[in-house]
Amino acid sequence: MTKQAGRSARDSVWRERKPRRGGRGGQPSGLDRERITEASVRLLDAEGLAKFSMRRLAAELNVTAMSLYWYVDTKDDLLELALDAVYAELRLPDPDDTGEDWREQLRGMATAYRQLLVRHPWLSPLAGRFLNIGPRSLAFSRAVQRVVRRAGLPAHGVTGAISAVFQFVYGYGTIESHFMTRVADTGLSPEEYFEQSMALVDEVPGTAEIIGESKDIMAARGGDTVAEMLDRDFTFALDLLVAGIEAMVARG
């Protein structure tokens, strides 16, 4: 994972709390970490990561910015709390239920993670910035590991299989979230934006020829809407990865 500027690998809101700084006055009533975290998620969804600040959050909660420091030491602590909070949206399967097909459980978690990345575009950069050791994030990681173990891979292959699937999902969901953010900024529908983009490409010398070579492939994948095209590509790619795990198990 990338190192965060100004922070060491030991810095995390999930470590034992540091002593609170003095001189804050009385602790503000009606405020707690859960409420602050919920407000942080709302702001990040509405305004994005770049505009997020302690001052803006305080205004949302109708408190002073200084009062937030009763509950967190830095803005990064808030971001780390918000990051873990959204993992609660993932419905995790019972990884020990041998009556359930591990393939379907894995597909379900991969699909849910993709949707989470698209629903919260700020999640992707934060997931690469922090340690992801909050309780909800760890619960997701534990469920993934247990499901993949049931596939029958040798122990040394489990982390590689997890990386293949979930780094793919992370990349796919990140690119999709960027696309949807650009679309929202234009006020167009995804289909209108896609059509305009393709028309623009056709006007660029050299680029049109390269894109033209792939038009038959794009047409063959089907889908009347952008969402359908994205879903088909994602599903097929995920099936390839699951088939790869099966093939490695068969090879012993």
Side-chain angles (χ1 to χ4, degrees):
M1 294 184 183
T2 56
K3 181 179 177 181
Q4 189 176 354
R7 287 168 68 93
S8 73
R10 292 179 55 81
D11 288 330
S12 172
V13 72
W14 301 110
R15 292 181 64 204
E16 185 177 357
R17 280 194 190 183
K18 303 170 187 175
R20 290 291 163 206
R21 306 179 184 117
R24 302 292 185 195
Q27 187 172 355
S29 61
L31 205 60
D32 55 35
R33 269 197 170 184
E34 183 177 357
R35 186 182 168 203
I36 293 171
T37 302
E38 289 173 352
S40 297
V41 171
R42 288 198 306 272
L43 271 182
L44 287 163
D45 285 343
E47 301 180 0
L49 185 57
K51 294 182 179 179
F52 184 81
S53 70
M54 298 288 270
R55 221 174 261 282
R56 179 68 188 88
L57 177 62
E60 179 75 11
L61 291 166
N62 197 29
V63 298
T64 66
M66 297 302 286
S67 67
L68 297 175
Y69 290 100
W70 277 102
Y71 306 95
V72 293
D73 289 318
T74 66
K75 184 179 81 169
D76 287 329
D77 288 348
L78 284 174
L79 294 175
E80 199 172 5
L81 288 168
L83 170 64
D84 191 68
V86 296
Y87 278 91
E89 298 173 21
L90 298 172
R91 296 184 62 184
L92 303 180
D94 180 357
D96 298 320
D97 185 354
T98 56
E100 292 293 326
D101 190 330
W102 67 266
R103 301 164 189 81
E104 292 309 309
Q105 289 185 326
L106 184 60
R107 288 189 182 98
M109 286 189 291
T111 300
Y113 186 46
R114 170 201 168 194
Q115 293 168 344
L116 191 72
L117 288 162
V118 175
R119 196 158 56 243
H120 305 291
W122 51 270
L123 188 157
S124 175
L126 293 187
R129 181 173 170 184
F130 294 106
L131 293 176
N132 292 266
I133 56 173
R136 298 171 183 88
S137 176
L138 288 179
F140 176 64
S141 297
R142 186 184 190 194
V144 168
Q145 182 181 128
R146 285 184 161 187
V147 166
V148 174
R149 276 181 177 271
R150 284 179 40 222
L153 287 166
H156 69 264
V158 171
T159 56
I162 292 172
S163 295
V165 173
F166 285 93
Q167 288 187 23
F168 152 70
V169 177
Y170 177 85
Y172 198 97
T174 297
I175 292 172
E176 185 177 358
S177 72
H178 290 338
F179 172 78
M180 291 304 178
T181 299
R182 288 199 305 273
V183 170
D185 289 342
T186 65
L188 300 172
S189 70
E191 289 68 43
E192 290 169 337
Y193 184 88
F194 180 76
E195 289 176 6
Q196 287 190 11
S197 299
M198 290 297 98
L200 176 62
V201 166
D202 284 338
E203 297 172 2
V204 179
T207 306
E209 181 181 350
I210 297 171
I211 296 297
E213 293 177 3
S214 63
K215 282 188 175 179
D216 60 327
I217 299 174
M218 294 171 67
R221 74 180 172 187
D224 295 326
T225 67
V226 169
E228 288 173 347
M229 288 188 288
L230 290 170
D231 286 347
R232 289 189 186 214
D233 284 349
F234 178 83
T235 299
F236 189 81
L238 186 56
D239 284 346
L240 285 177
L241 291 168
V242 172
I245 294 174
E246 293 174 318
M248 294 302 290
V249 170
R251 284 175 57 180

